[in-house]
Amino acid sequence: MAPGLLDLVHLTTWAVCAVIKLPQVVAVLRAGSTWGLSVSSLLLELAGLLVFLRYQIYYGYPLETYLEYPIVIGQVVILLSCIMHFSGKTRRAFFYALVFWGGWYMLTLQKWIIDLAMNLCTLVSAASKLVQLQHLWETKDAGQANALTWGMSVYASATRIITTVMTTNDLAVLIRFIVMLILNIWVTATILHYRKTKKTD
């Protein structure tokens, strides 16, 4: 792949990720409700994002291969804050913040910890998607789950498969993005299915 094309893929990924959770945040704020969203799913997603970011930094991978992660993490934290606010569990957010902050520093105490965490990160991130799917299947209602947000996740996963192959060629990272692509497509399709079902009822 030509360097110019690789730069374009990086730029479009950053652009998408700069606003990836905003449609979801707007939907929650407009509705004043978090119906259709799973707190467990978002907490697992945040854990996976933090581990992945720490892994990339630890191994000194090029910044352009993970630049979007701090932005996405910030958006997930905002979304979690909205959920905690609307569900009346604001105090619980402080506990979660302490756990994630402590975990961030513990990850790099030993090389084997960050390597193990990265391998588990794929399972944790996959679990976050499966928890959201389970929530959708149980409620049979997409609620405030936003198909645009999940569609942008599909795009970001697909482009990161390309950039991983072209830059680091790290097998653990590549497997993670392939798994995330498949599950993001599945969640997007499920949201669209329940939106269509709700409109026809």
Side-chain angles (χ1 to χ4, degrees):
M1 181 181 291
L5 188 55
L6 182 61
D7 290 341
L8 179 63
V9 172
H10 282 307
L11 286 171
T12 59
T13 303
W14 299 333
V16 165
C17 289
V19 296
I20 199 163
K21 297 291 182 185
L22 294 183
Q24 187 66 73
V25 171
V26 169
V28 167
L29 292 175
R30 278 190 183 154
S33 165
T34 59
W35 179 254
L37 299 177
S38 167
V39 174
S40 299
S41 172
L42 282 168
L43 289 169
L44 288 168
E45 179 181 8
L46 182 57
L49 291 169
L50 288 168
V51 168
F52 185 76
L53 176 61
R54 193 67 163 157
Y55 179 86
Q56 296 279 344
I57 293 168
Y58 183 83
Y59 280 104
Y61 286 151
L63 181 62
E64 59 270 8
T65 62
Y66 63 90
L67 183 63
E68 70 274 13
Y69 275 79
I71 297 164
V72 174
I73 288 167
Q75 292 177 54
V76 170
V77 168
I78 290 168
L79 186 55
L80 275 168
S81 299
C82 290
I83 291 173
M84 296 295 174
H85 171 74
F86 287 121
S87 64
K89 299 177 181 174
T90 308
R91 288 186 178 160
R92 193 174 291 179
F94 294 114
F95 169 74
Y96 292 136
L98 285 173
V99 169
F100 284 119
W101 180 78
W104 174 262
Y105 288 100
M106 291 177 61
L107 283 171
T108 55
L109 291 176
Q110 297 281 326
K111 181 185 180 302
W112 69 267
I113 295 173
I114 192 68
D115 290 340
L116 177 62
M118 180 56 196
N119 289 318
L120 294 174
C121 166
T122 299
L123 295 175
V124 168
S125 294
S128 79
K129 312 301 183 207
L130 293 171
V131 167
Q132 183 62 48
L133 280 166
Q134 179 185 15
H135 185 75
L136 290 167
W137 295 331
E138 286 175 357
T139 62
K140 296 191 182 338
D141 183 1
Q144 304 315 314
N146 190 283
L148 179 58
T149 290
W150 286 94
M152 287 190 285
S153 294
V154 168
Y155 178 80
S157 297
T159 59
R160 282 304 175 208
I161 290 169
I162 295 166
T163 60
T164 300
V165 168
M166 298 306 301
T167 55
T168 65
N169 213 20
D170 185 314
L171 186 59
V173 172
L174 189 58
I175 289 169
R176 180 184 191 280
F177 284 128
I178 291 169
V179 170
M180 293 305 97
L181 175 64
I182 292 165
L183 291 173
N184 285 332
I185 290 170
W186 196 357
V187 173
T188 304
T190 304
I191 290 169
L192 292 172
H193 169 74
Y194 286 125
R195 289 251 186 265
K196 184 178 178 183
T197 303
K198 191 173 183 181
K199 286 181 183 177
T200 58
D201 288 346

